[in-house]
């Protein structure tokens, strides 16, 4: 509804004209092209991506080193635990072996007519159970007649010159030896064949040329 007051219409018309004139007089704001804005923003974004990639590679490298150290730690701890277990078992078995030696000696010395008795059979059963227990623990016997002497497993008590066997052959086992996982619980005490003295024999040249042999002797 338009107002009938002429003065009010003039005032409204003047205000509108002034506003249009002010808007026309203002300078237009300069707009940045979209290509330039994208180029400006791409530089920091690329550097940020490269930095994040570098950090990710560092974290991955640290993770790999940590994993390798953990694997080595587990391997080292497993080896130490195994060595500790073998050492403890060896110490215990070392004190039990004389009992087994006495039991086996008693069974070997038992008369044949006594073997059918129940108490003798019981001793044989105890000996077999002890041997089965040693097998389950991984204990092995070392030292047997005819084997080659091994200084890590055998202890030479006596030597005997024998021409019918090679040097270093075990001739007799005086006390049985035992090992566990290549760890010596007790070395076997054995008798070993020694080196036979070699007789001085003339060479083929000395046999065919006695004068030459006499010259060398002078």
């Amino acid at each position: 509804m338009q107002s009938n007051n002429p003065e009010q219409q003039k005032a409204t018309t003047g205000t509108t004209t002034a506003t249009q004139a002010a808007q026309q007089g203002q300078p237009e704001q300069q707009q940045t092209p979209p290509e330039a804005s994208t180029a400006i923003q791409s530089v920091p974004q690329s550097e940020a991506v490269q930095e994040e990639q570098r950090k990710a590679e560092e974290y991955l490298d640290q993770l790999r080193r940590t994993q390798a150290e953990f694997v080595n730690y587990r391997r080292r701890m497993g080896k130490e635990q195994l060595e500790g277990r073998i050492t403890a078992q060896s110490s215990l078995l070392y004190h039990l072996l004389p009992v087994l030696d006495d039991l086996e000696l008693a069974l070997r010395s038992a008369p044949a007519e006594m073997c059918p008795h129940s108490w003798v059979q019981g001793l044989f059963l105890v000996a077999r159970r002890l041997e089965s227990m040693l097998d389950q623990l991984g204990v092995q016997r070392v030292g047997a007649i005819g084997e080659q002497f091994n200084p890590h497993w055998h202890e030479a008590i006596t030597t005997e010159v024998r021409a019918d066997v090679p040097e270093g052959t075990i001739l007799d086992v005086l006390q049985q030896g035992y090992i566990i996982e290549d760890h010596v619980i007790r070395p076997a005490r054995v008798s070993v064949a020694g080196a036979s003295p070699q007789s001085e024999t003339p060479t083929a040249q000395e046999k065919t040329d006695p004068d030459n042999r006499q010259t060398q002797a002078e």
Side-chain angles (χ1 to χ4, degrees):
M1 180 177 182
Q2 296 181 357
S3 174
N4 296 325
N5 191 347
E7 295 180 358
Q8 186 176 1
Q9 291 180 355
K10 290 181 180 180
T12 303
T13 304
T15 302
T16 304
T17 304
T19 302
Q20 291 177 355
Q23 290 179 353
Q24 292 177 359
Q26 290 180 354
E28 295 181 355
Q29 295 181 355
Q30 184 177 3
Q31 297 181 356
T32 304
E35 294 81 1
S37 177
T38 304
I40 294 174
Q41 294 179 359
S42 63
V43 175
Q45 286 183 355
S46 177
E47 294 178 354
V49 170
Q50 292 178 359
E51 181 66 18
E52 293 298 330
Q53 289 179 352
R54 186 183 63 81
K55 290 182 180 180
E57 291 177 357
E58 290 180 356
Y59 295 152
L60 181 60
D61 184 60
Q62 292 179 0
L63 178 62
R64 289 173 178 172
R65 288 201 300 266
T66 303
Q67 185 178 7
E69 291 176 356
F70 180 70
V71 171
N72 294 332
Y73 169 77
R74 289 185 59 184
R75 187 182 297 112
R76 184 173 63 255
M77 290 299 298
K79 183 178 180 180
E80 291 178 357
Q81 291 177 358
L82 178 61
E83 292 178 353
R85 178 178 61 84
I86 291 176
T87 302
Q89 290 179 350
S90 300
S91 178
L92 176 61
L93 293 172
Y94 180 80
H95 294 85
L96 290 178
L97 290 180
V99 179
L100 181 60
D101 294 337
D102 294 340
L103 180 59
E104 291 180 348
L105 180 60
L107 293 175
R108 286 196 300 267
S109 303
E113 61 273 10
M114 300 275 304
C115 291
H117 289 277
S118 58
W119 63 273
V120 178
Q121 294 298 320
L123 292 177
F124 278 106
L125 178 61
V126 172
R128 286 195 296 270
R129 286 186 176 179
L130 286 175
E131 292 178 356
S132 177
M133 180 193 68
L134 295 178
D135 292 339
Q136 292 177 1
L137 293 176
V139 179
Q140 299 178 357
R141 293 192 179 199
V142 293
I145 298 175
E147 289 183 353
Q148 191 68 19
F149 179 80
N150 187 339
H152 298 288
W153 295 351
H154 307 140
E155 180 182 356
I157 303 300
T158 61
T159 57
E160 181 181 351
V161 177
R162 294 279 295 272
D164 56 337
V165 294
E167 180 184 359
T169 303
I170 296 177
L171 302 177
D172 190 16
V173 179
L174 307 177
Q175 188 181 55
Q176 193 72 53
Y178 295 88
I179 63 172
I180 177 173
E181 298 289 344
D182 293 334
H183 180 80
V184 179
I185 303 174
R186 187 182 70 184
R189 296 183 177 182
V190 297
S191 176
V192 186
S196 58
Q198 297 180 356
S199 60
E200 297 181 358
T201 57
T203 61
Q205 183 178 1
E206 292 175 344
K207 290 180 180 179
T208 57
D209 191 0
D211 295 336
N212 187 22
R213 184 173 66 251
Q214 183 178 3
T215 304
Q216 291 178 355
E218 292 176 357

